[in-house]
Amino acid sequence: MRSMKVVSTKSDDGYEVTNDTGELVFKCDEPARVGGSGKYPRPTDYFFGALGSCLNITARSLAKRKGIKINKLVVTVTGNVETHGIVDPRIKDRISDIRIKFEMESDLPRTEEERFFQECVTACPVHATVEDQTKVTWSY
C-alpha cells in the first residue's frame, strides 16, 4: 500500500485553490459565472481527467505486459453533474453518471478488445474507487 497526500490551500483569487502533492503543484478553480476566476480546471474536470488518465495508463501497462502494440489510445470520460444545491441547499450536488469510451488502434484483434478493456477497468484504481464507493472520513 502506498500512502498519498495532497494539501489544498485557498488562494486569493475567487475560488482558486493550490494543490500540493509534495512533488507537484496544480491549481483548481471554478468558472467566472459562479464566482471563480475561470483560470484553472474545476475539481470535477480533474476528477474526470484522473479517471481517464488512470484508464489510459492502465491500458498501456497491460498492453506492454501482454505484448500488444498500441498505436493510438483515447479514453473519453463524460458525465452529468447535478448542481441543484445552488438553488436548494437541501439537495446534494454530485456527479450523477459517468460514461467511458475507449478508442484504440492496435494489433489486438477487434474481437478481443472488449475483454481487454474490461481488464483495464477492473485493474484501474481510480475506477475501483468510484465503483466501490470508497469510504471517506473527515476531521478538523
Side-chain angles (χ1 to χ4, degrees), residues 19-30:
N19 300 282
D20 188 342
T21 70
E23 295 176 12
L24 300 169
V25 174
F26 62 97
K27 293 189 177 212
C28 287
D29 197 2
E30 288 291 335

Side-chain angles (χ1 to χ4, degrees), residues 7-20 25-30 35-41 46:
V7 177
S8 302
T9 307
K10 174 195 175 301
S11 298
D12 290 332
D13 197 12
Y15 289 126
E16 188 178 306
V17 175
T18 301
N19 300 282
D20 188 342
V25 174
F26 62 97
K27 293 189 177 212
C28 287
D29 197 2
E30 288 291 335
S37 69
K39 292 192 277 186
Y40 303 101
Y46 278 111

Side-chain angles (χ1 to χ4, degrees), residues 20-132:
D20 188 342
T21 70
E23 295 176 12
L24 300 169
V25 174
F26 62 97
K27 293 189 177 212
C28 287
D29 197 2
E30 288 291 335
R33 66 176 161 47
V34 295
S37 69
K39 292 192 277 186
Y40 303 101
R42 296 168 292 199
T44 49
D45 297 327
Y46 278 111
F47 180 80
F48 278 43
L51 179 56
S53 296
C54 191
L55 286 165
N56 196 304
I57 292 166
T58 301
R60 288 185 286 152
S61 175
L62 284 171
K64 186 176 181 179
R65 281 199 310 249
K66 294 174 174 279
I68 300 166
K69 184 176 189 278
I70 296 178
N71 299 317
K72 177 183 175 185
L73 178 60
V74 177
V75 180
T76 303
V77 179
T78 58
N80 293 306
V81 180
E82 295 179 7
T83 57
H84 305 293
I86 293 170
V87 178
D88 184 348
R90 295 171 296 172
I91 300 173
K92 191 182 262 189
D93 292 347
R94 66 186 198 92
I95 296 169
S96 59
D97 62 284
I98 298 170
R99 295 171 299 283
I100 301 163
K101 181 178 181 184
F102 292 95
E103 298 172 70
M104 183 170 73
E105 293 174 8
S106 73
D107 62 357
L108 185 69
R110 290 277 295 164
T111 56
E112 296 179 31
E113 282 185 359
E114 184 176 353
R115 187 175 61 204
F116 175 75
F117 292 136
Q118 182 59 53
E119 280 185 74
C120 295
V121 167
T122 301
C124 173
V126 175
H127 184 274
T129 300
V130 174
E131 187 175 61
D132 296 345

